[in-house]
Amino acid sequence: SSDAVILEAPDRGETVDATARAFAEAFGYEPDGVWSAPGRVNIIGEHVDYQDGLCLPMAISHRCFVAAARTPTDLVRVRSAQSDVVFEGQAGDLAPDAVEGWPAYVTGVLWALRPFISGAVQQGVDIYLDGHVPLGSGLSSSASVECASAEALESLLSLGTTPLDRVRACIAAENDFVGASTGGLDQSASVLAREGRALLLDCRDFSTTPVAWDLAGQGLALLITDTRAEHSHAGGEYADRRRDSERAAEILGVGTLRDIDPAGLDEALGRIDDEVVRRRARHVITEIQRVRDFDALLERGSVREGVAQLGALLNASHDSLRDDYEVTVPALDVAVDAARAAGAHGSRMTGGGFGGSTIALVEADSAQDVAQAIADAFAREGLGSPAFFLALPEDGSGQDR
Ligand code: ADP
Ligand code: MG
């Protein structure tokens, strides 16, 4: 196969300038500011957010930039560097099902923030976005669009929202306006992430605890492989898994599977007759415990000190998602197996699954070799060319200019 190339995010300052320039070209005047929000990888804790679980995401270097301005009208105009589809409509007309295609991710946030907008006056805005999170790769380009938009609207309209208000508005935009069934992991990470940290997220109350996650200083790296395989969250499979886990909670008589003590796992599973539902429950309950174990290792010492056990937890997470939750596809398994065989400390799929991306915890100086091994395995299996990125823990959404 050809040489594997690890792609870097474009220079942030230059992208801010370019987004402002593109706004000016599109709308004929200068924007009031530029805001941005990152994509994310979830390090561990997959398919547990909708069961009040724990997860551990971090923001990546790839971000969505939004240049925007208040207008003297009630018109909302939205454009993207990544699409020819444009939106134009009156602020007061925004409603679920009224907006088609990607602009719903932006207008949905404005809609969800309406309780914070005072008075009956419908304020117009012009928004131009330039997204550098790969679309539909499981790295949450959708949350990066929403959260950058929320940041812009907060500033432009002086809404007085807290970061958590914005997280909730972005979740509402995706669930209720776009109509995609997601938990709160993506939006929490995109808004609340901190540089040099992973974010322990308790999905029960969206409380977060930054956890030291120093990869570069320890000679380690997190290699992201975008398999470029099909991925669709809005699709039925994701909703099916959600339903299976809800069914398990119902059978066990708890609100969510978070309430099951992992010490009583076998007893709990013994009460579920349906073999599939039983495996789904086993994934969720054990995955939440793996996040606790992962976090405990990071509390106890550096990533370097815990690297073997951290890697083992990543591997166990993937195997559970493959065998019990059945959300992997061949491309994800091939990428993970190739990374492990090439000496990664651990590797797993990240995001909702059914395609999307994997992560591998690797020695920094072996990232290129691991990427090459994955590219070679893809070529052997006829899976096309994956894309590679290095994930550095970056800061969450904010104003760039
Ligand atoms: P993911 O969040 O994993 O990238 P999703 O399916 O949740 O995948 O979101 C991808 C969708 O988000 C795209 O199909 C598009 O509608 C929208 N989107 C993301 N980034 C952009 C962008 N820069 N411009 C326009 N639409 C975007
Ligand atoms: Mg998404």
Side-chain angles (χ1 to χ4, degrees), residues 73-98:
T73 71
D74 68 346
L75 265 194
V76 175
R77 299 190 293 180
V78 188
R79 303 194 181 188
S80 163
Q82 281 71 45
S83 174
D84 292 332
V85 176
V86 302
F87 173 82
E88 204 170 308
Q90 269 151 332
D93 291 345
L94 294 177
D97 303 326

mmCIF file with all atom_site columns, all heavy atoms in Angstrom, residues 73-98:
data_model
loop_
_atom_site.group_PDB
_atom_site.id
_atom_site.type_symbol
_atom_site.label_atom_id
_atom_site.label_alt_id
_atom_site.label_comp_id
_atom_site.label_asym_id
_atom_site.label_entity_id
_atom_site.label_seq_id
_atom_site.pdbx_PDB_ins_code
_atom_site.Cartn_x
_atom_site.Cartn_y
_atom_site.Cartn_z
_atom_site.occupancy
_atom_site.B_iso_or_equiv
_atom_site.pdbx_formal_charge
_atom_site.auth_seq_id
_atom_site.auth_comp_id
_atom_site.auth_asym_id
_atom_site.auth_atom_id
_atom_site.pdbx_PDB_model_num
ATOM 1   N N   . THR A 1 73 ? -31.829 42.934 10.937 1.00 0.00 ? 73 THR A N   1
ATOM 2   C CA  . THR A 1 73 ? -33.096 42.342 10.477 1.00 0.00 ? 73 THR A CA  1
ATOM 3   C C   . THR A 1 73 ? -33.456 41.135 11.343 1.00 0.00 ? 73 THR A C   1
ATOM 4   O O   . THR A 1 73 ? -32.787 40.850 12.316 1.00 0.00 ? 73 THR A O   1
ATOM 5   C CB  . THR A 1 73 ? -32.962 41.857 9.020  1.00 0.00 ? 73 THR A CB  1
ATOM 6   O OG1 . THR A 1 73 ? -32.117 40.698 9.028  1.00 0.00 ? 73 THR A OG1 1
ATOM 7   C CG2 . THR A 1 73 ? -32.352 42.910 8.129  1.00 0.00 ? 73 THR A CG2 1
ATOM 8   N N   . ASP A 1 74 ? -34.506 40.416 10.950 1.00 0.00 ? 74 ASP A N   1
ATOM 9   C CA  . ASP A 1 74 ? -34.828 39.166 11.654 1.00 0.00 ? 74 ASP A CA  1
ATOM 10  C C   . ASP A 1 74 ? -34.443 37.953 10.815 1.00 0.00 ? 74 ASP A C   1
ATOM 11  O O   . ASP A 1 74 ? -34.870 36.843 11.082 1.00 0.00 ? 74 ASP A O   1
ATOM 12  C CB  . ASP A 1 74 ? -36.312 39.116 12.031 1.00 0.00 ? 74 ASP A CB  1
ATOM 13  C CG  . ASP A 1 74 ? -37.213 38.999 10.805 1.00 0.00 ? 74 ASP A CG  1
ATOM 14  O OD1 . ASP A 1 74 ? -36.714 39.217 9.669  1.00 0.00 ? 74 ASP A OD1 1
ATOM 15  O OD2 . ASP A 1 74 ? -38.395 38.695 10.970 1.00 0.00 ? 74 ASP A OD2 1
ATOM 16  N N   . LEU A 1 75 ? -33.597 38.185 9.791  1.00 0.00 ? 75 LEU A N   1
ATOM 17  C CA  . LEU A 1 75 ? -33.188 37.083 8.921  1.00 0.00 ? 75 LEU A CA  1
ATOM 18  C C   . LEU A 1 75 ? -32.027 36.310 9.520  1.00 0.00 ? 75 LEU A C   1
ATOM 19  O O   . LEU A 1 75 ? -31.085 36.893 10.059 1.00 0.00 ? 75 LEU A O   1
ATOM 20  C CB  . LEU A 1 75 ? -32.738 37.629 7.567  1.00 0.00 ? 75 LEU A CB  1
ATOM 21  C CG  . LEU A 1 75 ? -33.746 37.676 6.421  1.00 0.00 ? 75 LEU A CG  1
ATOM 22  C CD1 . LEU A 1 75 ? -32.985 37.906 5.112  1.00 0.00 ? 75 LEU A CD1 1
ATOM 23  C CD2 . LEU A 1 75 ? -34.572 36.391 6.335  1.00 0.00 ? 75 LEU A CD2 1
ATOM 24  N N   . VAL A 1 76 ? -32.102 34.986 9.401  1.00 0.00 ? 76 VAL A N   1
ATOM 25  C CA  . VAL A 1 76 ? -30.984 34.120 9.773  1.00 0.00 ? 76 VAL A CA  1
ATOM 26  C C   . VAL A 1 76 ? -30.423 33.550 8.475  1.00 0.00 ? 76 VAL A C   1
ATOM 27  O O   . VAL A 1 76 ? -31.153 32.938 7.688  1.00 0.00 ? 76 VAL A O   1
ATOM 28  C CB  . VAL A 1 76 ? -31.455 32.978 10.691 1.00 0.00 ? 76 VAL A CB  1
ATOM 29  C CG1 . VAL A 1 76 ? -30.302 32.018 10.982 1.00 0.00 ? 76 VAL A CG1 1
ATOM 30  C CG2 . VAL A 1 76 ? -32.020 33.536 11.991 1.00 0.00 ? 76 VAL A CG2 1
ATOM 31  N N   . ARG A 1 77 ? -29.131 33.799 8.261  1.00 0.00 ? 77 ARG A N   1
ATOM 32  C CA  . ARG A 1 77 ? -28.490 33.268 7.053  1.00 0.00 ? 77 ARG A CA  1
ATOM 33  C C   . ARG A 1 77 ? -27.295 32.432 7.469  1.00 0.00 ? 77 ARG A C   1
ATOM 34  O O   . ARG A 1 77 ? -26.461 32.866 8.255  1.00 0.00 ? 77 ARG A O   1
ATOM 35  C CB  . ARG A 1 77 ? -28.048 34.409 6.140  1.00 0.00 ? 77 ARG A CB  1
ATOM 36  C CG  . ARG A 1 77 ? -29.213 35.282 5.663  1.00 0.00 ? 77 ARG A CG  1
ATOM 37  C CD  . ARG A 1 77 ? -28.788 36.247 4.588  1.00 0.00 ? 77 ARG A CD  1
ATOM 38  N NE  . ARG A 1 77 ? -27.863 37.268 5.090  1.00 0.00 ? 77 ARG A NE  1
ATOM 39  C CZ  . ARG A 1 77 ? -27.334 38.243 4.324  1.00 0.00 ? 77 ARG A CZ  1
ATOM 40  N NH1 . ARG A 1 77 ? -27.615 38.280 3.039  1.00 0.00 ? 77 ARG A NH1 1
ATOM 41  N NH2 . ARG A 1 77 ? -26.524 39.128 4.862  1.00 0.00 ? 77 ARG A NH2 1
ATOM 42  N N   . VAL A 1 78 ? -27.201 31.203 6.923  1.00 0.00 ? 78 VAL A N   1
ATOM 43  C CA  . VAL A 1 78 ? -26.153 30.265 7.345  1.00 0.00 ? 78 VAL A CA  1
ATOM 44  C C   . VAL A 1 78 ? -25.468 29.654 6.129  1.00 0.00 ? 78 VAL A C   1
ATOM 45  O O   . VAL A 1 78 ? -26.142 29.208 5.195  1.00 0.00 ? 78 VAL A O   1
ATOM 46  C CB  . VAL A 1 78 ? -26.754 29.127 8.209  1.00 0.00 ? 78 VAL A CB  1
ATOM 47  C CG1 . VAL A 1 78 ? -25.648 28.284 8.808  1.00 0.00 ? 78 VAL A CG1 1
ATOM 48  C CG2 . VAL A 1 78 ? -27.630 29.679 9.322  1.00 0.00 ? 78 VAL A CG2 1
ATOM 49  N N   . ARG A 1 79 ? -24.137 29.683 6.144  1.00 0.00 ? 79 ARG A N   1
ATOM 50  C CA  . ARG A 1 79 ? -23.374 29.066 5.051  1.00 0.00 ? 79 ARG A CA  1
ATOM 51  C C   . ARG A 1 79 ? -22.201 28.272 5.600  1.00 0.00 ? 79 ARG A C   1
ATOM 52  O O   . ARG A 1 79 ? -21.765 28.520 6.718  1.00 0.00 ? 79 ARG A O   1
ATOM 53  C CB  . ARG A 1 79 ? -22.830 30.142 4.104  1.00 0.00 ? 79 ARG A CB  1
ATOM 54  C CG  . ARG A 1 79 ? -23.925 30.992 3.563  1.00 0.00 ? 79 ARG A CG  1
ATOM 55  C CD  . ARG A 1 79 ? -23.454 31.792 2.409  1.00 0.00 ? 79 ARG A CD  1
ATOM 56  N NE  . ARG A 1 79 ? -24.587 32.612 1.973  1.00 0.00 ? 79 ARG A NE  1
ATOM 57  C CZ  . ARG A 1 79 ? -24.573 33.336 0.888  1.00 0.00 ? 79 ARG A CZ  1
ATOM 58  N NH1 . ARG A 1 79 ? -23.495 33.363 0.131  1.00 0.00 ? 79 ARG A NH1 1
ATOM 59  N NH2 . ARG A 1 79 ? -25.634 34.026 0.549  1.00 0.00 ? 79 ARG A NH2 1
ATOM 60  N N   . SER A 1 80 ? -21.701 27.356 4.786  1.00 0.00 ? 80 SER A N   1
ATOM 61  C CA  . SER A 1 80 ? -20.559 26.536 5.197  1.00 0.00 ? 80 SER A CA  1
ATOM 62  C C   . SER A 1 80 ? -19.562 26.422 4.064  1.00 0.00 ? 80 SER A C   1
ATOM 63  O O   . SER A 1 80 ? -19.954 26.314 2.893  1.00 0.00 ? 80 SER A O   1
ATOM 64  C CB  . SER A 1 80 ? -21.038 25.130 5.582  1.00 0.00 ? 80 SER A CB  1
ATOM 65  O OG  . SER A 1 80 ? -19.961 24.223 5.605  1.00 0.00 ? 80 SER A OG  1
ATOM 66  N N   . ALA A 1 81 ? -18.276 26.443 4.426  1.00 0.00 ? 81 ALA A N   1
ATOM 67  C CA  . ALA A 1 81 ? -17.226 26.228 3.425  1.00 0.00 ? 81 ALA A CA  1
ATOM 68  C C   . ALA A 1 81 ? -17.288 24.813 2.864  1.00 0.00 ? 81 ALA A C   1
ATOM 69  O O   . ALA A 1 81 ? -16.749 24.535 1.799  1.00 0.00 ? 81 ALA A O   1
ATOM 70  C CB  . ALA A 1 81 ? -15.852 26.481 4.044  1.00 0.00 ? 81 ALA A CB  1
ATOM 71  N N   . GLN A 1 82 ? -17.962 23.908 3.606  1.00 0.00 ? 82 GLN A N   1
ATOM 72  C CA  . GLN A 1 82 ? -17.981 22.499 3.208  1.00 0.00 ? 82 GLN A CA  1
ATOM 73  C C   . GLN A 1 82 ? -19.245 22.106 2.438  1.00 0.00 ? 82 GLN A C   1
ATOM 74  O O   . GLN A 1 82 ? -19.428 20.930 2.129  1.00 0.00 ? 82 GLN A O   1
ATOM 75  C CB  . GLN A 1 82 ? -17.856 21.598 4.451  1.00 0.00 ? 82 GLN A CB  1
ATOM 76  C CG  . GLN A 1 82 ? -16.441 21.475 4.984  1.00 0.00 ? 82 GLN A CG  1
ATOM 77  C CD  . GLN A 1 82 ? -15.957 22.747 5.644  1.00 0.00 ? 82 GLN A CD  1
ATOM 78  O OE1 . GLN A 1 82 ? -16.658 23.367 6.418  1.00 0.00 ? 82 GLN A OE1 1
ATOM 79  N NE2 . GLN A 1 82 ? -14.740 23.152 5.308  1.00 0.00 ? 82 GLN A NE2 1
ATOM 80  N N   . SER A 1 83 ? -20.104 23.068 2.135  1.00 0.00 ? 83 SER A N   1
ATOM 81  C CA  . SER A 1 83 ? -21.350 22.691 1.463  1.00 0.00 ? 83 SER A CA  1
ATOM 82  C C   . SER A 1 83 ? -21.885 23.813 0.589  1.00 0.00 ? 83 SER A C   1
ATOM 83  O O   . SER A 1 83 ? -21.717 24.997 0.900  1.00 0.00 ? 83 SER A O   1
ATOM 84  C CB  . SER A 1 83 ? -22.409 22.322 2.514  1.00 0.00 ? 83 SER A CB  1
ATOM 85  O OG  . SER A 1 83 ? -23.660 22.096 1.895  1.00 0.00 ? 83 SER A OG  1
ATOM 86  N N   . ASP A 1 84 ? -22.532 23.446 -0.502 1.00 0.00 ? 84 ASP A N   1
ATOM 87  C CA  . ASP A 1 84 ? -23.181 24.441 -1.356 1.00 0.00 ? 84 ASP A CA  1
ATOM 88  C C   . ASP A 1 84 ? -24.579 24.769 -0.864 1.00 0.00 ? 84 ASP A C   1
ATOM 89  O O   . ASP A 1 84 ? -25.202 25.723 -1.321 1.00 0.00 ? 84 ASP A O   1
ATOM 90  C CB  . ASP A 1 84 ? -23.278 23.918 -2.796 1.00 0.00 ? 84 ASP A CB  1
ATOM 91  C CG  . ASP A 1 84 ? -21.912 23.801 -3.442 1.00 0.00 ? 84 ASP A CG  1
ATOM 92  O OD1 . ASP A 1 84 ? -21.009 24.573 -3.039 1.00 0.00 ? 84 ASP A OD1 1
ATOM 93  O OD2 . ASP A 1 84 ? -21.743 22.943 -4.320 1.00 0.00 ? 84 ASP A OD2 1
ATOM 94  N N   . VAL A 1 85 ? -25.084 23.950 0.044  1.00 0.00 ? 85 VAL A N   1
ATOM 95  C CA  . VAL A 1 85 ? -26.430 24.190 0.580  1.00 0.00 ? 85 VAL A CA  1
ATOM 96  C C   . VAL A 1 85 ? -26.388 25.407 1.506  1.00 0.00 ? 85 VAL A C   1
ATOM 97  O O   . VAL A 1 85 ? -25.552 25.486 2.402  1.00 0.00 ? 85 VAL A O   1
ATOM 98  C CB  . VAL A 1 85 ? -26.922 22.961 1.368  1.00 0.00 ? 85 VAL A CB  1
ATOM 99  C CG1 . VAL A 1 85 ? -28.270 23.235 2.017  1.00 0.00 ? 85 VAL A CG1 1
ATOM 100 C CG2 . VAL A 1 85 ? -27.003 21.741 0.462  1.00 0.00 ? 85 VAL A CG2 1
ATOM 101 N N   . VAL A 1 86 ? -27.264 26.391 1.270  1.00 0.00 ? 86 VAL A N   1
ATOM 102 C CA  . VAL A 1 86 ? -27.311 27.569 2.140  1.00 0.00 ? 86 VAL A CA  1
ATOM 103 C C   . VAL A 1 86 ? -28.691 27.641 2.781  1.00 0.00 ? 86 VAL A C   1
ATOM 104 O O   . VAL A 1 86 ? -29.663 27.067 2.283  1.00 0.00 ? 86 VAL A O   1
ATOM 105 C CB  . VAL A 1 86 ? -27.022 28.880 1.367  1.00 0.00 ? 86 VAL A CB  1
ATOM 106 C CG1 . VAL A 1 86 ? -25.650 28.806 0.699  1.00 0.00 ? 86 VAL A CG1 1
ATOM 107 C CG2 . VAL A 1 86 ? -28.112 29.147 0.345  1.00 0.00 ? 86 VAL A CG2 1
ATOM 108 N N   . PHE A 1 87 ? -28.755 28.345 3.894  1.00 0.00 ? 87 PHE A N   1
ATOM 109 C CA  . PHE A 1 87 ? -30.047 28.504 4.562  1.00 0.00 ? 87 PHE A CA  1
ATOM 110 C C   . PHE A 1 87 ? -30.350 29.985 4.719  1.00 0.00 ? 87 PHE A C   1
ATOM 111 O O   . PHE A 1 87 ? -29.480 30.796 5.015  1.00 0.00 ? 87 PHE A O   1
ATOM 112 C CB  . PHE A 1 87 ? -30.026 27.848 5.942  1.00 0.00 ? 87 PHE A CB  1
ATOM 113 C CG  . PHE A 1 87 ? -31.290 28.136 6.729  1.00 0.00 ? 87 PHE A CG  1
ATOM 114 C CD1 . PHE A 1 87 ? -32.436 27.384 6.518  1.00 0.00 ? 87 PHE A CD1 1
ATOM 115 C CD2 . PHE A 1 87 ? -31.322 29.175 7.652  1.00 0.00 ? 87 PHE A CD2 1
ATOM 116 C CE1 . PHE A 1 87 ? -33.598 27.657 7.224  1.00 0.00 ? 87 PHE A CE1 1
ATOM 117 C CE2 . PHE A 1 87 ? -32.479 29.453 8.364  1.00 0.00 ? 87 PHE A CE2 1
ATOM 118 C CZ  . PHE A 1 87 ? -33.620 28.692 8.145  1.00 0.00 ? 87 PHE A CZ  1
ATOM 119 N N   . GLU A 1 88 ? -31.605 30.332 4.517  1.00 0.00 ? 88 GLU A N   1
ATOM 120 C CA  . GLU A 1 88 ? -32.060 31.685 4.772  1.00 0.00 ? 88 GLU A CA  1
ATOM 121 C C   . GLU A 1 88 ? -33.500 31.586 5.264  1.00 0.00 ? 88 GLU A C   1
ATOM 122 O O   . GLU A 1 88 ? -34.338 30.982 4.600  1.00 0.00 ? 88 GLU A O   1
ATOM 123 C CB  . GLU A 1 88 ? -31.978 32.510 3.485  1.00 0.00 ? 88 GLU A CB  1
ATOM 124 C CG  . GLU A 1 88 ? -31.857 33.978 3.754  1.00 0.00 ? 88 GLU A CG  1
ATOM 125 C CD  . GLU A 1 88 ? -31.527 34.779 2.491  1.00 0.00 ? 88 GLU A CD  1
ATOM 126 O OE1 . GLU A 1 88 ? -30.552 34.426 1.804  1.00 0.00 ? 88 GLU A OE1 1
ATOM 127 O OE2 . GLU A 1 88 ? -32.260 35.729 2.216  1.00 0.00 ? 88 GLU A OE2 1
ATOM 128 N N   . GLY A 1 89 ? -33.764 32.143 6.425  1.00 0.00 ? 89 GLY A N   1
ATOM 129 C CA  . GLY A 1 89 ? -35.123 32.087 6.941  1.00 0.00 ? 89 GLY A CA  1
ATOM 130 C C   . GLY A 1 89 ? -35.291 33.062 8.096  1.00 0.00 ? 89 GLY A C   1
ATOM 131 O O   . GLY A 1 89 ? -34.312 33.620 8.596  1.00 0.00 ? 89 GLY A O   1
ATOM 132 N N   . GLN A 1 90 ? -36.546 33.269 8.514  1.00 0.00 ? 90 GLN A N   1
ATOM 133 C CA  . GLN A 1 90 ? -36.798 34.196 9.601  1.00 0.00 ? 90 GLN A CA  1
ATOM 134 C C   . GLN A 1 90 ? -36.617 33.513 10.944 1.00 0.00 ? 90 GLN A C   1
ATOM 135 O O   . GLN A 1 90 ? -37.036 32.372 11.128 1.00 0.00 ? 90 GLN A O   1
ATOM 136 C CB  . GLN A 1 90 ? -38.198 34.786 9.487  1.00 0.00 ? 90 GLN A CB  1
ATOM 137 C CG  . GLN A 1 90 ? -38.176 36.070 8.684  1.00 0.00 ? 90 GLN A CG  1
ATOM 138 C CD  . GLN A 1 90 ? -39.467 36.325 7.947  1.00 0.00 ? 90 GLN A CD  1
ATOM 139 O OE1 . GLN A 1 90 ? -40.189 35.393 7.586  1.00 0.00 ? 90 GLN A OE1 1
ATOM 140 N NE2 . GLN A 1 90 ? -39.750 37.592 7.731  1.00 0.00 ? 90 GLN A NE2 1
ATOM 141 N N   . ALA A 1 91 ? -35.975 34.225 11.880 1.00 0.00 ? 91 ALA A N   1
ATOM 142 C CA  . ALA A 1 91 ? -35.663 33.644 13.187 1.00 0.00 ? 91 ALA A CA  1
ATOM 143 C C   . ALA A 1 91 ? -36.919 33.075 13.839 1.00 0.00 ? 91 ALA A C   1
ATOM 144 O O   . ALA A 1 91 ? -36.883 31.999 14.438 1.00 0.00 ? 91 ALA A O   1
ATOM 145 C CB  . ALA A 1 91 ? -35.015 34.695 14.083 1.00 0.00 ? 91 ALA A CB  1
ATOM 146 N N   . GLY A 1 92 ? -38.040 33.773 13.701 1.00 0.00 ? 92 GLY A N   1
ATOM 147 C CA  . GLY A 1 92 ? -39.273 33.347 14.354 1.00 0.00 ? 92 GLY A CA  1
ATOM 148 C C   . GLY A 1 92 ? -39.884 32.092 13.764 1.00 0.00 ? 92 GLY A C   1
ATOM 149 O O   . GLY A 1 92 ? -40.739 31.465 14.382 1.00 0.00 ? 92 GLY A O   1
ATOM 150 N N   . ASP A 1 93 ? -39.429 31.710 12.568 1.00 0.00 ? 93 ASP A N   1
ATOM 151 C CA  . ASP A 1 93 ? -40.008 30.540 11.901 1.00 0.00 ? 93 ASP A CA  1
ATOM 152 C C   . ASP A 1 93 ? -39.275 29.240 12.209 1.00 0.00 ? 93 ASP A C   1
ATOM 153 O O   . ASP A 1 93 ? -39.694 28.174 11.768 1.00 0.00 ? 93 ASP A O   1
ATOM 154 C CB  . ASP A 1 93 ? -39.995 30.736 10.377 1.00 0.00 ? 93 ASP A CB  1
ATOM 155 C CG  . ASP A 1 93 ? -40.976 31.814 9.940  1.00 0.00 ? 93 ASP A CG  1
ATOM 156 O OD1 . ASP A 1 93 ? -41.835 32.184 10.773 1.00 0.00 ? 93 ASP A OD1 1
ATOM 157 O OD2 . ASP A 1 93 ? -40.864 32.287 8.800  1.00 0.00 ? 93 ASP A OD2 1
ATOM 158 N N   . LEU A 1 94 ? -38.154 29.348 12.948 1.00 0.00 ? 94 LEU A N   1
ATOM 159 C CA  . LEU A 1 94 ? -37.365 28.136 13.192 1.00 0.00 ? 94 LEU A CA  1
ATOM 160 C C   . LEU A 1 94 ? -38.150 27.147 14.040 1.00 0.00 ? 94 LEU A C   1
ATOM 161 O O   . LEU A 1 94 ? -38.662 27.501 15.099 1.00 0.00 ? 94 LEU A O   1
ATOM 162 C CB  . LEU A 1 94 ? -36.058 28.491 13.909 1.00 0.00 ? 94 LEU A CB  1
ATOM 163 C CG  . LEU A 1 94 ? -35.073 29.329 13.097 1.00 0.00 ? 94 LEU A CG  1
ATOM 164 C CD1 . LEU A 1 94 ? -33.859 29.671 13.948 1.00 0.00 ? 94 LEU A CD1 1
ATOM 165 C CD2 . LEU A 1 94 ? -34.665 28.610 11.818 1.00 0.00 ? 94 LEU A CD2 1
ATOM 166 N N   . ALA A 1 95 ? -38.256 25.925 13.545 1.00 0.00 ? 95 ALA A N   1
ATOM 167 C CA  . ALA A 1 95 ? -38.972 24.871 14.266 1.00 0.00 ? 95 ALA A CA  1
ATOM 168 C C   . ALA A 1 95 ? -38.449 23.532 13.773 1.00 0.00 ? 95 ALA A C   1
ATOM 169 O O   . ALA A 1 95 ? -37.991 23.424 12.635 1.00 0.00 ? 95 ALA A O   1
ATOM 170 C CB  . ALA A 1 95 ? -40.473 24.972 14.007 1.00 0.00 ? 95 ALA A CB  1
ATOM 171 N N   . PRO A 1 96 ? -38.500 22.504 14.638 1.00 0.00 ? 96 PRO A N   1
ATOM 172 C CA  . PRO A 1 96 ? -38.074 21.175 14.192 1.00 0.00 ? 96 PRO A CA  1
ATOM 173 C C   . PRO A 1 96 ? -38.813 20.802 12.912 1.00 0.00 ? 96 PRO A C   1
ATOM 174 O O   . PRO A 1 96 ? -39.986 21.122 12.758 1.00 0.00 ? 96 PRO A O   1
ATOM 175 C CB  . PRO A 1 96 ? -38.482 20.271 15.357 1.00 0.00 ? 96 PRO A CB  1
ATOM 176 C CG  . PRO A 1 96 ? -38.518 21.165 16.544 1.00 0.00 ? 96 PRO A CG  1
ATOM 177 C CD  . PRO A 1 96 ? -38.965 22.504 16.036 1.00 0.00 ? 96 PRO A CD  1
ATOM 178 N N   . ASP A 1 97 ? -38.144 20.152 12.013 1.00 0.00 ? 97 ASP A N   1
ATOM 179 C CA  . ASP A 1 97 ? -38.677 19.720 10.718 1.00 0.00 ? 97 ASP A CA  1
ATOM 180 C C   . ASP A 1 97 ? -38.786 20.855 9.699  1.00 0.00 ? 97 ASP A C   1
ATOM 181 O O   . ASP A 1 97 ? -39.103 20.604 8.538  1.00 0.00 ? 97 ASP A O   1
ATOM 182 C CB  . ASP A 1 97 ? -40.068 19.054 10.851 1.00 0.00 ? 97 ASP A CB  1
ATOM 183 C CG  . ASP A 1 97 ? -40.035 17.861 11.790 1.00 0.00 ? 97 ASP A CG  1
ATOM 184 O OD1 . ASP A 1 97 ? -39.007 17.169 11.812 1.00 0.00 ? 97 ASP A OD1 1
ATOM 185 O OD2 . ASP A 1 97 ? -41.018 17.644 12.517 1.00 0.00 ? 97 ASP A OD2 1
ATOM 186 N N   . ALA A 1 98 ? -38.527 22.115 10.125 1.00 0.00 ? 98 ALA A N   1
ATOM 187 C CA  . ALA A 1 98 ? -38.652 23.226 9.184  1.00 0.00 ? 98 ALA A CA  1
ATOM 188 C C   . ALA A 1 98 ? -37.351 23.474 8.433  1.00 0.00 ? 98 ALA A C   1
ATOM 189 O O   . ALA A 1 98 ? -37.330 24.187 7.433  1.00 0.00 ? 98 ALA A O   1
ATOM 190 C CB  . ALA A 1 98 ? -39.083 24.498 9.914  1.00 0.00 ? 98 ALA A CB  1
#
